[in-house]
Short mmCIF file of all heavy atoms in Angstrom, two decimals:
data_model
loop_
_atom_site.label_atom_id
_atom_site.label_comp_id
_atom_site.label_asym_id
_atom_site.label_seq_id
_atom_site.Cartn_x
_atom_site.Cartn_y
_atom_site.Cartn_z
N ALA A 1 -105.65 81.02 -66.98
CA ALA A 1 -104.52 81.74 -66.41
C ALA A 1 -104.81 83.22 -66.39
O ALA A 1 -105.59 83.73 -67.18
CB ALA A 1 -103.23 81.46 -67.21
N GLY A 2 -104.15 83.94 -65.48
CA GLY A 2 -104.28 85.38 -65.40
C GLY A 2 -102.96 86.03 -65.08
O GLY A 2 -102.06 85.39 -64.51
N ILE A 3 -102.82 87.31 -65.44
CA ILE A 3 -101.59 88.05 -65.17
C ILE A 3 -101.95 89.46 -64.76
O ILE A 3 -102.90 90.06 -65.27
CB ILE A 3 -100.65 88.03 -66.40
CG1 ILE A 3 -99.26 88.53 -66.03
CG2 ILE A 3 -101.24 88.85 -67.55
CD1 ILE A 3 -98.21 88.21 -67.09
N SER A 4 -101.18 90.01 -63.81
CA SER A 4 -101.44 91.35 -63.31
C SER A 4 -101.04 92.41 -64.32
O SER A 4 -100.32 92.14 -65.29
CB SER A 4 -100.69 91.57 -61.99
OG SER A 4 -99.29 91.45 -62.18
N TRP A 5 -101.49 93.62 -64.08
CA TRP A 5 -101.23 94.72 -64.99
C TRP A 5 -99.73 94.91 -65.22
O TRP A 5 -99.31 95.14 -66.36
CB TRP A 5 -101.85 96.01 -64.42
CG TRP A 5 -101.76 97.19 -65.34
CD1 TRP A 5 -102.66 97.56 -66.30
CD2 TRP A 5 -100.71 98.16 -65.38
NE1 TRP A 5 -102.24 98.70 -66.93
CE2 TRP A 5 -101.04 99.09 -66.39
CE3 TRP A 5 -99.52 98.33 -64.66
CZ2 TRP A 5 -100.23 100.18 -66.69
CZ3 TRP A 5 -98.71 99.41 -64.97
CH2 TRP A 5 -99.07 100.33 -65.97
N GLY A 6 -98.94 94.82 -64.17
CA GLY A 6 -97.50 94.99 -64.28
C GLY A 6 -96.73 93.72 -64.58
O GLY A 6 -95.52 93.77 -64.77
N GLY A 7 -97.41 92.59 -64.61
CA GLY A 7 -96.77 91.33 -64.91
C GLY A 7 -96.09 90.66 -63.73
O GLY A 7 -95.44 89.63 -63.91
N GLU A 8 -96.24 91.22 -62.53
CA GLU A 8 -95.56 90.67 -61.37
C GLU A 8 -96.17 89.37 -60.86
O GLU A 8 -95.47 88.57 -60.23
CB GLU A 8 -95.55 91.69 -60.22
CG GLU A 8 -94.86 93.00 -60.56
CD GLU A 8 -95.82 94.04 -61.11
OE1 GLU A 8 -96.97 93.69 -61.45
OE2 GLU A 8 -95.41 95.21 -61.23
N ARG A 9 -97.45 89.19 -61.09
CA ARG A 9 -98.16 88.04 -60.55
C ARG A 9 -98.89 87.29 -61.65
O ARG A 9 -99.47 87.91 -62.55
CB ARG A 9 -99.16 88.47 -59.48
CG ARG A 9 -98.54 89.14 -58.25
CD ARG A 9 -97.79 88.14 -57.38
NE ARG A 9 -98.66 87.10 -56.87
CZ ARG A 9 -99.38 87.21 -55.77
NH1 ARG A 9 -99.34 88.33 -55.04
NH2 ARG A 9 -100.13 86.20 -55.37
N THR A 10 -98.85 85.98 -61.56
CA THR A 10 -99.62 85.13 -62.45
C THR A 10 -100.33 84.08 -61.62
O THR A 10 -99.91 83.74 -60.51
CB THR A 10 -98.75 84.43 -63.50
OG1 THR A 10 -97.68 83.73 -62.85
CG2 THR A 10 -98.17 85.44 -64.48
N GLY A 11 -101.41 83.57 -62.14
CA GLY A 11 -102.15 82.51 -61.48
C GLY A 11 -102.72 81.56 -62.51
O GLY A 11 -103.00 81.96 -63.65
N TYR A 12 -102.92 80.30 -62.11
CA TYR A 12 -103.33 79.27 -63.03
C TYR A 12 -104.41 78.38 -62.43
O TYR A 12 -104.45 78.16 -61.21
CB TYR A 12 -102.13 78.39 -63.41
CG TYR A 12 -100.99 79.16 -64.02
CD1 TYR A 12 -99.98 79.69 -63.22
CD2 TYR A 12 -100.93 79.39 -65.39
CE1 TYR A 12 -98.94 80.41 -63.78
CE2 TYR A 12 -99.90 80.11 -65.95
CZ TYR A 12 -98.90 80.62 -65.14
OH TYR A 12 -97.88 81.34 -65.70
N ALA A 13 -105.25 77.88 -63.29
CA ALA A 13 -106.18 76.84 -62.87
C ALA A 13 -105.40 75.59 -62.48
O ALA A 13 -104.34 75.29 -63.04
CB ALA A 13 -107.16 76.52 -63.99
N ASP A 14 -105.92 74.86 -61.50
CA ASP A 14 -105.23 73.66 -61.05
C ASP A 14 -105.00 72.66 -62.19
O ASP A 14 -104.00 71.95 -62.21
CB ASP A 14 -106.03 72.98 -59.93
CG ASP A 14 -105.99 73.76 -58.64
OD1 ASP A 14 -105.09 74.60 -58.47
OD2 ASP A 14 -106.86 73.51 -57.78
N SER A 15 -105.91 72.63 -63.15
CA SER A 15 -105.82 71.67 -64.23
C SER A 15 -104.65 71.92 -65.18
O SER A 15 -104.25 71.02 -65.91
CB SER A 15 -107.13 71.65 -65.03
OG SER A 15 -107.41 72.93 -65.56
N VAL A 16 -104.09 73.14 -65.18
CA VAL A 16 -103.00 73.46 -66.09
C VAL A 16 -101.73 73.86 -65.36
O VAL A 16 -100.69 74.05 -66.02
CB VAL A 16 -103.40 74.58 -67.08
CG1 VAL A 16 -104.69 74.22 -67.80
CG2 VAL A 16 -103.54 75.92 -66.37
N LYS A 17 -101.77 73.99 -64.06
CA LYS A 17 -100.60 74.42 -63.30
C LYS A 17 -99.43 73.46 -63.52
O LYS A 17 -99.59 72.24 -63.46
CB LYS A 17 -100.94 74.51 -61.82
CG LYS A 17 -99.87 75.15 -60.97
CD LYS A 17 -100.34 75.32 -59.52
CE LYS A 17 -101.50 76.29 -59.44
NZ LYS A 17 -101.92 76.55 -58.03
N GLY A 18 -98.26 74.02 -63.79
CA GLY A 18 -97.08 73.24 -64.07
C GLY A 18 -96.90 72.88 -65.52
O GLY A 18 -95.82 72.43 -65.92
N ARG A 19 -97.94 73.09 -66.34
CA ARG A 19 -97.87 72.79 -67.77
C ARG A 19 -97.96 74.04 -68.63
O ARG A 19 -97.36 74.10 -69.70
CB ARG A 19 -98.98 71.82 -68.17
CG ARG A 19 -98.92 70.48 -67.45
CD ARG A 19 -99.92 69.49 -68.04
NE ARG A 19 -101.30 69.95 -67.88
CZ ARG A 19 -102.14 70.19 -68.89
NH1 ARG A 19 -101.74 70.02 -70.14
NH2 ARG A 19 -103.39 70.58 -68.65
N PHE A 20 -98.73 75.03 -68.18
CA PHE A 20 -98.93 76.27 -68.93
C PHE A 20 -98.20 77.41 -68.23
O PHE A 20 -98.13 77.46 -67.00
CB PHE A 20 -100.42 76.62 -69.01
CG PHE A 20 -101.27 75.71 -69.85
CD1 PHE A 20 -100.79 74.51 -70.32
CD2 PHE A 20 -102.57 76.08 -70.15
CE1 PHE A 20 -101.57 73.67 -71.09
CE2 PHE A 20 -103.37 75.25 -70.91
CZ PHE A 20 -102.87 74.05 -71.38
N THR A 21 -97.70 78.35 -69.02
CA THR A 21 -97.05 79.53 -68.50
C THR A 21 -97.56 80.76 -69.22
O THR A 21 -97.53 80.81 -70.46
CB THR A 21 -95.52 79.45 -68.65
OG1 THR A 21 -95.02 78.29 -67.98
CG2 THR A 21 -94.86 80.69 -68.04
N MET A 22 -98.02 81.75 -68.46
CA MET A 22 -98.49 83.01 -69.03
C MET A 22 -97.44 84.09 -68.79
O MET A 22 -96.85 84.16 -67.71
CB MET A 22 -99.82 83.42 -68.41
CG MET A 22 -100.47 84.62 -69.08
SD MET A 22 -102.11 84.97 -68.38
CE MET A 22 -102.64 86.33 -69.43
N SER A 23 -97.22 84.94 -69.78
CA SER A 23 -96.24 86.00 -69.66
C SER A 23 -96.64 87.18 -70.52
O SER A 23 -97.59 87.09 -71.32
CB SER A 23 -94.84 85.49 -70.06
OG SER A 23 -94.83 85.06 -71.42
N ARG A 24 -95.92 88.27 -70.36
CA ARG A 24 -96.16 89.47 -71.15
C ARG A 24 -95.00 89.73 -72.10
O ARG A 24 -93.84 89.47 -71.78
CB ARG A 24 -96.34 90.70 -70.26
CG ARG A 24 -97.64 90.75 -69.49
CD ARG A 24 -97.79 92.11 -68.80
NE ARG A 24 -99.04 92.21 -68.06
CZ ARG A 24 -100.19 92.60 -68.59
NH1 ARG A 24 -100.27 92.94 -69.88
NH2 ARG A 24 -101.29 92.66 -67.83
N ASP A 25 -95.33 90.25 -73.27
CA ASP A 25 -94.36 90.82 -74.19
C ASP A 25 -94.73 92.29 -74.29
O ASP A 25 -95.53 92.69 -75.13
CB ASP A 25 -94.42 90.13 -75.55
CG ASP A 25 -93.35 90.63 -76.50
OD1 ASP A 25 -92.78 91.71 -76.26
OD2 ASP A 25 -93.10 89.94 -77.50
N ASN A 26 -94.15 93.10 -73.41
CA ASN A 26 -94.57 94.48 -73.28
C ASN A 26 -94.29 95.31 -74.53
O ASN A 26 -95.04 96.24 -74.85
CB ASN A 26 -93.89 95.13 -72.07
CG ASN A 26 -94.39 94.57 -70.76
OD1 ASN A 26 -95.56 94.21 -70.63
ND2 ASN A 26 -93.50 94.48 -69.78
N ALA A 27 -93.22 94.98 -75.24
CA ALA A 27 -92.89 95.73 -76.45
C ALA A 27 -93.97 95.59 -77.50
O ALA A 27 -94.13 96.48 -78.34
CB ALA A 27 -91.54 95.28 -77.00
#
């Protein structure tokens, strides 16, 4: 998985899409 600098965009490998979620905790 990957996430943009600002957190607006995420992307996932097909093998994990729908099961994994990537996010930021900016604090």
Side-chain angles (χ1 to χ4, degrees):
I3 193 165
S4 62
W5 186 89
E8 300 92 348
R9 298 288 299 274
T10 54
Y12 302 90
D14 289 341
S15 59
V16 307
K17 189 175 296 184
R19 300 188 297 119
F20 291 11
T21 302
M22 188 176 184
S23 61
R24 288 188 179 274
D25 184 343
N26 291 325

